[in-house]
Amino acid sequence: MFVRRIAVVGTGYVGLTTGACLASLGHRVVCADVDEAKVDRLSRGEVDILEPGLADLVSGGLASGRLSFVVGASAAVADAEVVFLCVPTPMGVGGIADLQAVESVVDETRDLLPSGCVIVNKSTVPVGTAVRTAELLRRDDVAVVSNPEFLREGSAVHDFLNPDRIVVGCDQQDAAERVAALYARLGAPTVLTDAASAELVKYAANCFLAMKLSYVNAVAELCERLGANITDVTEGMGYDKRIGQSFLSPGPGWGGSCLPKDTHAMLQAADAADFEFRLLRATIDTNERQRTRMVEKVRLAVTGKRGGSLSHVRLGLLGLTFKAGTDDLRDSPALAVAALLKQAGAELVGYDPALAGGTDLGSVSVVDDAYQAAKDVDALVVLTEWPDFRSLDWARLAETVRQPVVVDTRNILDPDVIRRAGFTCTSLGRP
């Protein structure tokens, strides 16, 4: 394997995982960030991100000398053969991805890039970004490649080192092959295509997953109306290899740092192309409705009637991050439901295994354990699928609450265990 000199600009989930993993594969990697304090911490092996295995990879890379951290993109690219852009591309006005960070790095490094270098867009970017990047570079001797990431928070290191596929897009075959070769040791299927197709792959994949989640939430509601059991329905569906088992768990809606912005960006791109993407729009609308539906389930469970008042009702929320295994709160469906509950007049206290008590979340008072969250509440509401909640002492919780009511919006609890502890239990799509 050829050892490459690689620069990674940005040390968020994608950038830090990319840099640490590429260093573990034997490449020499310099990671850059604008935050001096963060660079100092990373240089000491201190990783702020809750991501299994990442801290060990960073420490190993530092010890081997293959991984280092610097302040600013300019300091990282001087002798780089490949430069990965892993900067934020948040949702901008109208739903389109905001590319200011990408363009800023290109402006900063344009005259510093070595001849023959390859720029790689790793961030999720709209179709046409590779062309736009090349136009901004104004460098015929620097190729631009699209190499989308497919990392899940909570398993990013595993996903990088055990990929389902590697997608590389560029109109220059040599540049595409050079980037693909960086991953050669992983032995994954590789798709070499044009830049536009590579850029669209990421959006198309994430939008499909969002559709699958919205679909199963709709089926769960239908199960409730027809007296069917969503657990059995999805099990029967999942054995079909054309469908698969993943993304068939009902919940309070999808969120996080990717699906919301990617679905809106894809919808905006469709609108710009004069294509009415009704299926995707329905996917987004269904997700918004799901959050309201969770509030109505809480109303019914607490008051015994639809539309019952939640004014001055005290609720204990179990789980606040957007999913288990991460401390990320960005576009968390748990917080979206919490905001609606607060708007309805409820008093909220919450616990999450990844958050310290006293964390400022505005409408939710965050405490240090589930038993504190249960003290004198009218109902417990499970909003994130942390497995820790299954092993709680539910009999003890029953003695702590004001009303023994549980609304499990993730279907992670065993209803029989909960009921034996003295609770009434409401879940999704179950009789």
Side-chain angles (χ1 to χ4, degrees), residues 30 91 95 103 107 112 177 183 195 215 217-218 225 241 261 267 285 298-299 305 326 335 343 359 362 388 400 413 430:
V30 179
M91 190 189 308
E103 295 179 356
D107 287 339
L112 302 175
E177 290 177 353
Y183 305 95
Y215 178 77
N217 281 334
R225 298 183 181 220
K241 294 178 181 179
K261 73 180 184 68
L267 194 60
D285 291 344
V298 174
R299 286 185 193 274
K305 58 184 178 181
T326 177
L335 294 184
Q343 185 179 325
T359 300
D388 312 49
T400 305
L413 304 177
R430 293 170 174 168

Side-chain angles (χ1 to χ4, degrees), residues 265-327:
M266 182 86 148
L267 194 60
Q268 195 279 338
D271 289 343
D274 197 25
F275 172 62
E276 189 174 2
F277 206 150
R278 295 183 181 181
L279 183 58
L280 183 54
R281 192 176 297 278
T283 295
I284 297 170
D285 291 344
T286 299
N287 194 52
E288 292 298 320
R289 180 178 179 276
Q290 185 72 358
R291 297 168 178 181
T292 302
R293 199 169 88 82
M294 297 304 98
V295 174
E296 294 311 308
K297 289 185 96 49
V298 174
R299 286 185 193 274
L300 183 59
V302 172
T303 69
K305 58 184 178 181
R306 298 187 185 279
S309 175
L310 291 177
S311 181
H312 304 302
V313 168
R314 183 176 170 86
L315 300 174
L317 309 183
L318 299 181
L320 300 167
T321 54
F322 94 91
K323 72 172 186 175
T326 177
D327 57 359

Side-chain angles (χ1 to χ4, degrees), residues 19-250:
C21 287
L22 286 172
S24 76
L25 295 177
H27 303 293
R28 306 191 72 83
V29 182
V30 179
C31 292
D33 201 283
V34 295
D35 186 333
E36 291 187 34
K38 185 178 184 181
V39 169
D40 286 341
R41 291 194 300 273
L42 288 170
S43 297
R44 296 191 299 269
E46 299 173 10
V47 176
D48 300 329
I49 298 170
L50 179 61
E51 192 63 51
L54 185 54
D56 290 339
L57 279 187
V58 170
S59 296
L62 291 169
S64 70
R66 290 193 298 269
L67 180 64
S68 59
F69 297 92
V70 297
V71 177
S74 297
V77 304
D79 66 344
E81 298 173 83
V82 182
V83 177
F84 282 88
L85 303 185
C86 302
V87 293
T89 54
M91 190 189 308
V93 177
I96 192 170
D98 185 342
L99 297 179
Q100 289 186 57
V102 173
E103 295 179 356
S104 176
V105 172
V106 172
D107 287 339
E108 178 184 348
T109 61
R110 178 186 299 110
D111 298 328
L112 302 175
L113 297 170
S115 181
C117 176
V118 177
I119 292 285
V120 181
N121 278 323
K122 195 71 170 171
S123 304
T124 302
V125 293
V127 175
T129 301
V131 172
R132 173 62 177 159
T133 302
E135 291 173 348
L136 290 173
L137 274 175
R138 301 191 297 275
R139 292 278 302 270
D140 292 337
D141 60 337
V142 175
V144 178
V145 170
S146 177
N147 174 219
E149 52 85 14
F150 302 97
L151 307 178
R152 298 167 297 168
E153 290 187 33
S155 59
V157 170
H158 177 273
D159 292 346
F160 191 103
L161 297 176
N162 301 272
D164 295 322
R165 74 289 204 194
I166 303 295
V167 177
V168 181
C170 185
D171 296 331
Q172 299 178 42
Q173 186 75 9
D174 176 64
E177 290 177 353
R178 284 171 61 190
V179 172
L182 299 176
Y183 305 95
R185 286 181 56 187
L186 303 179
T190 301
V191 178
L192 296 180
T193 184
D194 59 275
S197 297
E199 290 163 342
L200 190 56
V201 165
K202 177 62 184 291
Y203 283 112
N206 275 357
C207 290
F208 182 82
L209 295 177
M211 289 178 193
K212 198 172 180 182
L213 288 170
S214 284
Y215 178 77
V216 78
N217 281 334
V219 173
E221 182 175 1
L222 186 60
C223 284
E224 293 171 12
R225 298 183 181 220
L226 298 179
N229 189 320
I230 188 63
T231 302
D232 296 337
V233 171
T234 54
E235 181 182 9
M237 292 170 59
Y239 284 119
D240 188 328
K241 294 178 181 179
R242 298 168 300 175
I243 297 173
Q245 300 280 358
S246 63
F247 283 73
L248 285 183
S249 297

Side-chain angles (χ1 to χ4, degrees), residues 39 224 353 392 418 420 426:
V39 169
E224 293 171 12
L392 292 172
I418 304 305
R420 283 198 299 269
T426 300

